Amino acid sequence: MFREGGSRVCRMSTSHAPQFVFMFGSRTRCLAPIIIASVIGCTSVQVRYPDGAMEYKTKDEFAVYVEEVFRYHNGVVNDLITATAFMDEGALDGDSPLVRAEEPMADTCWPLNDAVSATIDGRELGFFRKMKLLEAVPACEQASQRVAELLSPSI
């Protein structure tokens, strides 16, 4: 069971546990309740930030956070496009701090952008893609902030 804010508890049925252990072996027996709870859907998720901090958010709070980060990231990308349109090519070589920060931001934010695209297209996100968002969204926010800081003098 998982505790959310110390008050509400998400309880899960263990009726799926024997099937899970049969499919994945006895070595994962101790992980079965955790994974099954995630699949069945508890009321909260644990978000891991790049600095190692962890926070529990309800599914609704996490959905709002995902949207906020997605909008923020898109704003940074728009600012980046605008700023680089007016820069000379020498300022945008491979050694430029802006170029060195933009590529990791694109890589880090890819899972978020992919998930949003899938949702817009009406495709269902798989379990592992959803789980990847728990770390990818905070990392995307941090990477976008780095690029935004570099853009501040340009804009």
Side-chain angles (χ1 to χ4, degrees):
M1 77 176 87
F2 297 94
R3 296 201 178 272
E4 176 194 332
S7 59
R8 290 190 282 177
V9 175
C10 176
R11 300 183 191 280
M12 65 159 211
S13 166
T14 56
S15 62
H16 294 70
Q19 295 168 349
F20 180 84
V21 172
F22 175 73
M23 289 173 27
F24 295 101
S26 62
R27 297 182 87 196
T28 59
R29 182 169 285 168
C30 62
L31 295 176
I34 296 169
I35 295 172
I36 292 169
S38 300
V39 172
I40 293 172
C42 288
T43 59
S44 67
V45 294
Q46 184 180 28
V47 181
R48 291 176 214 93
Y49 295 96
D51 65 358
M54 293 188 207
E55 178 182 17
Y56 286 96
K57 293 183 181 276
T58 66
K59 285 184 177 182
D60 292 338
E61 290 171 340
F62 185 68
V64 168
Y65 176 60
V66 168
E67 183 176 350
E68 288 172 351
V69 171
F70 179 72
R71 289 178 186 267
Y72 176 70
H73 170 66
N74 279 335
V76 171
V77 169
N78 287 337
D79 292 345
L80 180 65
I81 291 168
T82 303
T84 56
F86 299 107
M87 291 181 175
D88 61 0
E89 290 185 31
L92 296 175
D93 64 1
D95 292 330
S96 164
L98 190 57
V99 171
R100 283 185 284 145
E102 187 275 333
E103 189 173 324
M105 178 186 71
D107 293 342
T108 302
C109 295
W110 181 85
L112 173 60
N113 291 323
D114 182 53
V116 170
S117 295
T119 303
I120 290 170
D121 293 344
R123 292 179 281 133
E124 183 67 29
L125 290 177
F127 171 74
F128 292 107
R129 285 173 73 187
K130 287 180 184 177
M131 294 304 292
K132 193 172 193 174
L133 288 176
L134 297 175
E135 291 180 6
V137 174
C140 177
E141 180 181 30
Q142 185 180 50
S144 297
Q145 287 171 345
R146 270 190 235 119
V147 171
E149 290 170 2
L150 292 170
L151 285 172
S152 296
S154 304
I155 299 177

